[in-house]
Amino acid sequence: MDFSPTDEQQALAEAVRGTLRRHGSPAAERGESGAPSGHDDALWQSLVQAGVPALVWAEEDGGIGAGFTDVSAAATELGRARLQVPLAETIVAGSLIASLASDAVRRELLGGLSEGTALPIPALAEPLRAWSPQPTDVVASGSGDAWTLTGTKAPVPYGPDATHLVVTAATDGGTGVFLVTAPEAANAEVVLDGTSATLLAQGEAADSAISEALALGGVVLCAEAVGAMDEALRLTTDYLDTRTQFGRKLASFQTLTHRAADMYAQLEIARSATLYAAMVADERPVDADHVLRARLVVDRAARLVGQEAIQMHGGIGVTAEHPVSHLTARLTAITRTWGDRRSQQAELATRLADHRSVEVLG
Amino acid sequence: MQRRLSADESAFQQRMRDYFTQEFPAHLREKVTSGRKLTPEDIRLSQSTLAAAGLATPGWPTEWGGQDWTPLQKHIWNSELQSAGVPPPLPFNASMVGPVIATFGSEELKQRFLPRTATAEIWWCQGFSEPGAGSDLAALRTTAVREGDEYVVNGQKTWTTLGQHADWMFALVRTDPDAPKKQAGISFILLDMKSEGITVRPIRTIDGDTEVNEVFFDNVRVPADQLVGEENRGWDYAKFLLGNERVGVANTGLIKRWLAELKEHAQQVRLGDGSLLDDPAIAARFVDLESQLMGLELTVVRVSGGSENGRPNPASSILKLCGSQLQQEVLELAVDISGPMALIWDELESVPGWAARSVPTYLNYRKATIYGGSSEVQRGIVAATILGLKG
């Protein structure tokens, strides 16, 4: 067992850092709000140049054939630079396509994704429904090559920018996974009304592919969160070390420095769980429960780090122009994407009695 | 990066597991897993058995009975030992005084003490804290004045864990009251607990047990050759001692066994037609604790395995902080699972021992965030040395 990054991973992280540094972080610089920044195609294309969206896909499908430890290293840099791109989204959609689509569709979409010409995005959540990977509101009807979908998926981040949507829908045969080509969405609401779709899988095959895809996307989210927490803690310690009140540096107040130490402790535990989850994601079958546990560890750390980073910055921390507010907004979104603390706890609880203890050394 | 154990590491893990679960005396393990109290004889027997198998002091230099193991192997050893319910080697011997003597002691001290320290033929206790020197350990006032070939020791130590069973004490004493810094006038000496002038007074703790003691020194004469290393360098040795043993400080193996046992206990408590483990709020706490424990154990492996750029990983400072908190959270859950049964401390025909012991154990383990450098001390270390936050 070894957690140290390879030379290739360090080089990749450095290359991504360089790309992101050249781009800056326009949303924070504009100072409008911490809202999701939307798709920035120029940034995405620069990451395509660096090979990031292609990393995990097989070479025969047009990808690079690297692994999740690699894409995680890139995602951590995205989090640190507080730049939002649909990387985790393409991992989820791409994973469903990789495991369920025909050879031709798989090569076309994963190849296109790797080249920056296709942007497949998952449409999973349903409005006013607690998170579940099982669709209820969007219903599929049809058979063979002729299927239509009806119902609303929302929110679907990057929905308006997608070239393809991978949509879950209820069918008579259980959960179905469908591909919608050239979707039309004006915003994060995807309204399907007899929309033509291609069936990729249904029933058990669909369920297990969804579970794996969400685990893989979850790993990328965890890695992004670690980068965002790294940066939030760095900004906070810098601030404590420079800001003066009552004629003293904030760093002279133990009530603040001890809380910064707790942020560090939670962050390091989240980093360990995330690195481990990335290694888990490079094995098949993926142990999705280990990823769920990592997501819970990251959730706890992200809440503490985000909340305390703002609190210790004082008023400036809740302004739209300060980076720490953007980091905390992103951490809040990450920990509600494709599952949240409640759903993760509930899912793991169903299997709690199946093991005596959680073993990681094996 | 590599998730799996190598073939050699797996074989090592299996070897440890086989020894602890098949060869080690079962009656000692059974006592631990059923929550009964070990006698001093049990503890000595356990350690001498482990020492005979070469498994009592793996962190020591190999010439003195240590093992040439990687940090990961040490973690596996500790993990398997704790999960099997083997009484762990006395920490005062194995991870405190032993490495100090082995590193800083004279050849004569090593030969005199190390073999019998490894087997627990000598039971050591720690003489560090004093009534006026807790977290501020360097404020200690117990003095040792050199008279010919002896030191004359006067003063008082406190919180001396299991001192009532100890044969010897390693102590920090003030040998230079005029040193420019209070840390600079401290020495590390070894005292025979049978020496004239030593009085041990047990302190009863909140759970009714007598685990800690006050120790008084009234003109105790200590041969000067029982000084470890150099006079007035004791603070350096104490820092070495406190920072020496990172493996085991998080107690992940112990927490894992507690959590597994607690899950079984929750299944014994009826709730409606099912058990308390079916309750979503209780189940969520188990899930969280198992997840946090996973994160902590992975952190132990990550930081003990290494060396990022050749230096010890600074994150190792969080292991005591987080491990002690997690121990307490598990024991708090045990009280909640005991529910109304937590109202008594004595086992009844109908109320199992684990439930009756839940509150005294929970209260006793408030100590975990206090001893060995309190959580506040740990946070101070993290803030100052890792985050660079200095007032």
Side-chain angles (χ1 to χ4, degrees):
Chain A
M1 187 178 242
D2 179 8
F3 286 84
S4 30
T6 60
D7 292 347
E8 288 79 9
Q9 282 156 5
Q10 289 179 357
L12 173 68
E14 184 52 49
V16 171
R17 243 190 326 268
T19 298
L20 300 178
R21 204 180 300 120
R22 283 191 292 282
H23 191 85
S25 44
E29 284 149 24
R30 276 197 308 272
E32 282 164 14
S33 85
S37 56
H39 190 53
D40 179 338
D41 195 54
L43 171 60
W44 182 246
Q45 294 303 331
S46 69
L47 289 168
V48 168
Q49 292 302 311
V52 174
L55 279 170
V56 298
W57 312 119
E59 287 178 81
E60 65 197 46
D61 294 332
I64 291 175
F68 280 84
T69 50
D70 305 292
V71 76
S72 291
T76 295
E77 298 310 321
L78 284 166
R80 195 189 314 278
R82 53 186 190 280
L83 287 169
Q84 296 170 38
V85 296
L87 181 60
E89 283 77 5
T90 61
I91 295 283
V92 171
S95 166
L96 288 167
I97 291 163
S99 39
L100 302 175
S102 67
D103 289 358
V105 171
R106 194 181 71 232
R107 286 191 191 128
E108 179 200 336
L109 289 189
L110 297 183
L113 169 57
S114 300
E115 289 167 7
T117 54
L119 190 65
I121 294 292
L124 308 176
E126 298 181 340
L128 276 178
R129 188 169 289 284
W131 167 258
S132 165
Q134 265 93 46
T136 308
D137 295 353
V138 171
V139 177
S141 58
S143 63
D145 293 340
W147 288 84
T148 60
L149 306 179
T150 299
T152 299
K153 291 284 186 182
V156 180
Y158 305 104
D161 315 289
T163 58
H164 300 77
L165 289 177
V166 179
V167 183
T168 52
T171 75
D172 293 339
T175 294
V177 177
F178 294 86
L179 187 65
V180 173
T181 304
E184 292 171 21
N187 51 31
E189 191 169 64
V190 173
V191 180
L192 302 158
D193 184 10
T195 307
S196 296
T198 308
L199 176 69
L200 298 182
Q202 59 184 332
E204 262 178 51
D207 288 331
S208 66
I210 292 169
S211 166
E212 179 176 291
L214 293 176
L216 300 178
V219 166
V220 175
L221 291 173
C222 285
E224 185 189 343
V226 165
M229 289 190 279
D230 263 340
E231 181 66 358
L233 179 59
R234 186 189 71 79
L235 290 168
T236 304
T237 51
D238 280 0
Y239 190 73
L240 294 179
D241 213 31
T242 49
R243 168 84 169 164
T244 304
Q245 286 285 273
F246 305 102
R248 301 154 59 182
K249 277 201 303 186
L250 291 187
S252 69
F253 292 93
Q254 202 176 54
T255 191
L256 301 176
T257 57
H258 278 199
R259 284 157 56 191
D262 279 332
M263 292 164 72
Y264 175 80
Q266 289 292 310
L267 166 57
E268 288 306 317
I269 288 177
R271 189 191 315 279
S272 306
T274 296
L275 291 169
Y276 182 70
M279 293 189 270
V280 165
D282 279 333
E283 293 185 347
R284 293 293 177 279
V286 177
D287 187 335
D289 283 0
H290 276 327
V291 178
L292 285 173
R293 289 187 195 99
R295 292 207 62 188
L296 277 171
V297 170
V298 167
D299 174 89
R300 175 163 157 173
R303 287 173 198 245
L304 180 85
V305 171
Q307 291 165 3
E308 291 285 68
I310 288 181
Q311 179 68 23
M312 287 196 246
H313 274 84
I316 194 78
V318 283
T319 63
E321 67 177 312
H322 199 281
V324 86
S325 65
H326 291 254
L327 291 164
T328 303
R330 181 60 189 148
L331 287 169
T332 308
I334 285 173
T335 50
R336 276 78 176 176
T337 299
W338 310 317
D340 46 53
R341 179 156 75 181
R342 178 207 62 81
S343 71
Q344 288 148 4
Q345 285 173 338
E347 188 172 348
L348 287 168
T350 64
R351 293 185 284 279
L352 191 55
D354 299 349
H355 55 265
R356 177 175 159 80
S357 50
V358 174
E359 300 300 340
V360 294
L361 295 177
Chain B
M1 292 176 75
Q2 173 61 44
R3 176 197 171 187
R4 297 289 175 181
L5 297 179
S6 68
D8 285 352
E9 288 161 349
S10 285
F12 178 83
Q13 183 184 45
Q14 193 58 48
R15 187 152 64 79
M16 291 296 120
R17 193 168 294 174
D18 289 348
Y19 174 79
F20 292 133
T21 59
Q22 291 167 25
E23 293 182 43
F24 187 85
H27 74 278
L28 290 175
R29 294 173 47 220
E30 211 276 319
K31 244 179 164 172
V32 170
T33 53
S34 64
R36 279 178 295 148
K37 208 169 146 50
L38 294 165
T39 64
E41 292 70 35
D42 291 336
I43 292 169
R44 286 188 204 256
L45 172 63
S46 176
Q47 186 160 339
S48 62
T49 307
L50 291 171
L55 299 177
T57 55
W60 291 14
T62 46
E63 56 177 312
W64 295 107
Q67 298 282 358
D68 189 17
W69 288 348
T70 63
L72 179 57
Q73 284 178 310
K74 286 183 202 166
H75 174 72
I76 292 171
W77 161 78
N78 185 60
S79 224
E80 294 294 331
L81 179 143
Q82 291 196 320
S83 100
V86 172
L90 285 169
F92 325 108
N93 290 37
S95 45
M96 295 181 178
V97 75
V100 170
I101 293 176
T103 308
F104 303 106
S106 64
E107 191 59 29
E108 193 224 321
L109 283 184
K110 291 179 196 176
Q111 295 195 1
R112 182 172 168 198
F113 288 109
L114 287 179
R116 291 187 298 151
T117 298
T119 58
E121 187 184 336
I122 297 175
W123 183 315
W124 289 91
C125 65
Q126 181 185 33
F128 277 23
S129 294
E130 296 183 6
S135 287
D136 183 12
L137 184 58
L140 61 92
R141 288 164 53 187
T142 296
T143 55
V145 177
R146 183 77 183 247
E147 283 183 13
D149 291 342
E150 293 176 329
Y151 287 101
V152 181
V153 178
N154 280 286
Q156 182 196 343
K157 294 291 174 183
T158 192
W159 311 129
T160 309
T161 303
L162 302 181
Q164 69 270 40
H165 308 307
D167 307 300
W168 281 75
M169 169 187 273
F170 56 95
L172 294 179
V173 292
R174 188 160 299 285
T175 37
D176 181 4
D178 303 321
K181 275 185 70 185
K182 58 187 179 182
Q183 287 85 354
I186 293 171
S187 296
F188 193 109
I189 63 166
L190 311 176
L191 299 91
D192 188 337
M193 290 295 279
K194 289 188 295 292
S195 311
E196 187 124 352
I198 292 186
T199 309
V200 177
R201 193 149 74 201
I203 300 171
R204 195 168 286 279
T205 44
I206 194 165
D207 54 337
D209 205 352
T210 47
E211 196 175 55
V212 288
N213 301 269
E214 294 178 292
V215 180
F216 298 88
F217 309 96
D218 179 15
N219 286 317
V220 178
R221 306 192 81 83
V222 178
D225 63 3
Q226 287 166 211
L227 173 78
V228 177
E230 292 174 42
E231 201 176 80
N232 298 325
R233 293 283 308 279
W235 188 252
D236 293 339
Y237 310 149
K239 278 199 298 187
F240 167 85
L241 179 154
L242 294 169
N244 178 47
E245 198 53 284
R246 291 293 183 196
V247 169
V249 73
N251 278 307
T252 51
L254 178 66
I255 300 170
K256 197 182 286 184
R257 177 162 57 74
W258 282 357
L259 203 48
E261 289 165 358
L262 188 55
K263 214 152 63 169
E264 289 172 11
H265 298 156
Q267 286 177 302
Q268 293 168 20
V269 179
R270 292 164 295 164
L271 173 70
D273 295 330
S275 84
L276 197 46
L277 196 63
D278 307 325
D279 179 74
I282 290 291
R285 285 172 70 185
F286 272 109
V287 164
D288 270 341
L289 288 168
E290 284 190 344
S291 303
Q292 290 296 324
L293 178 58
M294 179 185 95
L296 182 61
E297 183 174 5
L298 292 167
T299 304
V300 172
V301 174
R302 176 165 72 92
V303 305
S304 65
S307 75
E308 277 169 9
N309 310 322
R311 290 189 303 275
N313 191 313
S316 55
S317 309
I318 69 173
L319 301 181
K320 163 68 169 58
L321 179 66
C322 297
S324 56
Q325 286 173 343
L326 202 50
Q327 278 184 299
Q328 293 181 337
E329 284 178 48
V330 172
L331 295 175
E332 185 179 346
L333 179 58
V335 177
D336 292 327
I337 282 167
S338 300
M341 294 185 288
L343 298 180
I344 48 136
W345 288 20
D346 294 313
E347 190 171 346
L348 301 175
E349 189 67 33
S350 56
V351 173
W354 61 261
R357 279 189 300 273
S358 67
V359 169
T361 307
Y362 160 75
L363 292 172
N364 175 285
Y365 269 86
R366 303 316 296 170
K367 70 188 175 188
T369 47
I370 297 167
Y371 65 52
S374 68
S375 294
E376 288 70 25
V377 167
Q378 304 298 336
R379 289 190 186 97
I381 292 170
V382 170
T385 63
I386 300 175
L387 302 178
L389 295 171
K390 289 169 188 159

